Amino acid sequence: MTSTGPDGVFARIDRGVTGLPDCARPSLTVRVGLRTLLLSPEESRRTLYGPRRDSELGAAVWRQAVAEARKEPRNGDGAGRLLVVWLALPGLYRNLHKILRCLRVERSDLEAEAVLAVLAAVDALDPDDPEPGRRLIKEAVNRMWDYGKRVAQEIPVADIVAIAEARNATAPPEERPHPPEGWELHVTPPPTREGLYATLRFAEPRPRQAGRQGGTRLPDLVFRARRHEEADLIGTLILLPVGAPR
């Protein structure tokens, strides 16, 4: 379990909203009954989480923030969606810290899961939902818990991919060490798109008769490819001593 500190996901989102100059900071125009209010980000948050919360005004803030976020073009700056996530953060901290105390999970990953959940919920939210903020926060909390429980069941192991890559890495032919004695098998398929369609198998040859192999000293274990005598050519197998020119 680790803390992301000032470079964490939530901290960066906070700076992305509060660190903007006044002229660039997002604001919300909220209508409640006959009232029309222009709220700064901090005023919007106090409306949602302050000691004098107004449920009607709070619901209006959430609906307006979500509506503006959903109107943003895909190639826009994302300021509206960033504001929605920022408004949801205070509702996430309690469960965030509880999960960090109970489960072995990285805080940065947990925060990222929460942000993704909020953004996904913005697009799926019913515009007529009477409590849009509660729905956004609930989706994020559920996703954090699901992620935490899933990760807690995982057992850390060695980097299998790195081990496999190192094991499977082969040196170029010119750098590959050659044993003092050995053989190389070269397979040349016919020049067709179908490639080589033959059965290649390891087979142990019968005991050689004197002089039958002509002094070639073939190994005891060789590749054999067979085809019917009337079938088309399936390819060529060449067995050469290691390092010999082809």
Side-chain angles (χ1 to χ4, degrees), residues 176-186 239-245:
R176 195 176 300 157
H178 298 302
E181 294 183 1
W183 301 87
E184 291 181 343
L185 176 67
H186 301 272
L239 193 64
L240 298 173
V242 171

Side-chain angles (χ1 to χ4, degrees), residues 127-234:
D128 298 325
D129 192 316
E131 296 182 308
R134 181 180 179 183
R135 172 64 60 182
L136 293 175
I137 293 173
K138 181 179 179 181
E139 292 293 330
V141 169
N142 288 343
R143 183 157 175 170
M144 283 194 299
W145 275 108
D146 290 343
Y147 175 81
K149 292 176 181 177
R150 185 174 70 253
V151 172
Q153 296 175 355
E154 297 176 354
I155 301 175
V157 297
D159 190 343
I160 299 176
V161 175
I163 294 175
E165 290 178 350
R167 179 175 296 176
N168 295 333
T170 56
E174 62 275 8
E175 299 179 5
R176 195 176 300 157
H178 298 302
E181 294 183 1
W183 301 87
E184 291 181 343
L185 176 67
H186 301 272
V187 181
T188 304
T192 62
R193 293 183 60 185
E194 290 76 13
L196 180 62
Y197 283 86
T199 300
L200 297 180
R201 64 187 179 88
F202 286 102
E204 187 174 357
R206 296 177 181 177
R208 306 187 189 94
Q209 298 178 3
R212 185 172 179 177
Q213 298 297 333
T216 58
R217 298 182 59 195
L218 292 176
D220 292 335
L221 198 63
V222 299
F223 269 116
R224 289 184 178 180
R226 294 183 176 181
R227 68 183 177 95
H228 192 275
E229 59 182 4
E230 296 180 358
D232 295 333
L233 179 66
I234 60 172

Side-chain angles (χ1 to χ4, degrees), residues 1-245:
M1 182 178 68
T2 61
S3 173
T4 56
D7 293 327
V9 179
F10 285 6
R12 292 183 180 184
I13 291 173
D14 189 69
R15 291 197 300 269
V17 174
T18 61
L20 294 173
D22 292 341
C23 59
R25 300 181 71 185
S27 60
L28 292 176
T29 301
V30 181
R31 294 178 178 83
V32 181
L34 300 178
R35 294 183 298 166
T36 300
L37 304 175
L38 180 63
L39 302 177
S40 67
E42 290 82 3
E43 290 170 335
S44 297
R45 255 197 182 181
R46 284 196 294 270
T47 298
L48 300 175
Y49 303 102
R52 299 180 179 180
R53 289 190 291 268
D54 183 333
S55 59
E56 184 181 6
L57 179 58
V61 167
W62 277 119
R63 283 195 295 270
Q64 185 63 28
V66 171
E68 293 188 10
R70 294 174 70 160
K71 290 189 300 183
E72 284 184 326
R74 291 187 177 276
N75 58 349
D77 59 6
R81 291 177 180 268
L82 184 66
L83 178 61
V84 171
V85 175
W86 184 78
L87 290 175
L89 294 186
L92 303 177
Y93 279 113
R94 179 179 179 182
N95 278 275
L96 173 74
H97 292 296
K98 187 175 182 179
I99 296 171
L100 292 175
R101 289 194 304 268
C102 297
L103 304 172
R104 296 178 59 85
V105 61
E106 292 290 336
R107 175 167 178 163
S108 59
D109 294 336
L110 203 59
E111 291 182 354
E113 290 292 322
V115 172
L116 291 175
V118 173
L119 293 175
V122 167
D123 293 322
L125 192 67
D126 183 354
D128 298 325
D129 192 316
E131 296 182 308
R134 181 180 179 183
R135 172 64 60 182
L136 293 175
I137 293 173
K138 181 179 179 181
E139 292 293 330
V141 169
N142 288 343
R143 183 157 175 170
M144 283 194 299
W145 275 108
D146 290 343
Y147 175 81
K149 292 176 181 177
R150 185 174 70 253
V151 172
Q153 296 175 355
E154 297 176 354
I155 301 175
V157 297
D159 190 343
I160 299 176
V161 175
I163 294 175
E165 290 178 350
R167 179 175 296 176
N168 295 333
T170 56
E174 62 275 8
E175 299 179 5
R176 195 176 300 157
H178 298 302
E181 294 183 1
W183 301 87
E184 291 181 343
L185 176 67
H186 301 272
V187 181
T188 304
T192 62
R193 293 183 60 185
E194 290 76 13
L196 180 62
Y197 283 86
T199 300
L200 297 180
R201 64 187 179 88
F202 286 102
E204 187 174 357
R206 296 177 181 177
R208 306 187 189 94
Q209 298 178 3
R212 185 172 179 177
Q213 298 297 333
T216 58
R217 298 182 59 195
L218 292 176
D220 292 335
L221 198 63
V222 299
F223 269 116
R224 289 184 178 180
R226 294 183 176 181
R227 68 183 177 95
H228 192 275
E229 59 182 4
E230 296 180 358
D232 295 333
L233 179 66
I234 60 172
T236 303
L237 303 182
I238 302 176
L239 193 64
L240 298 173
V242 171

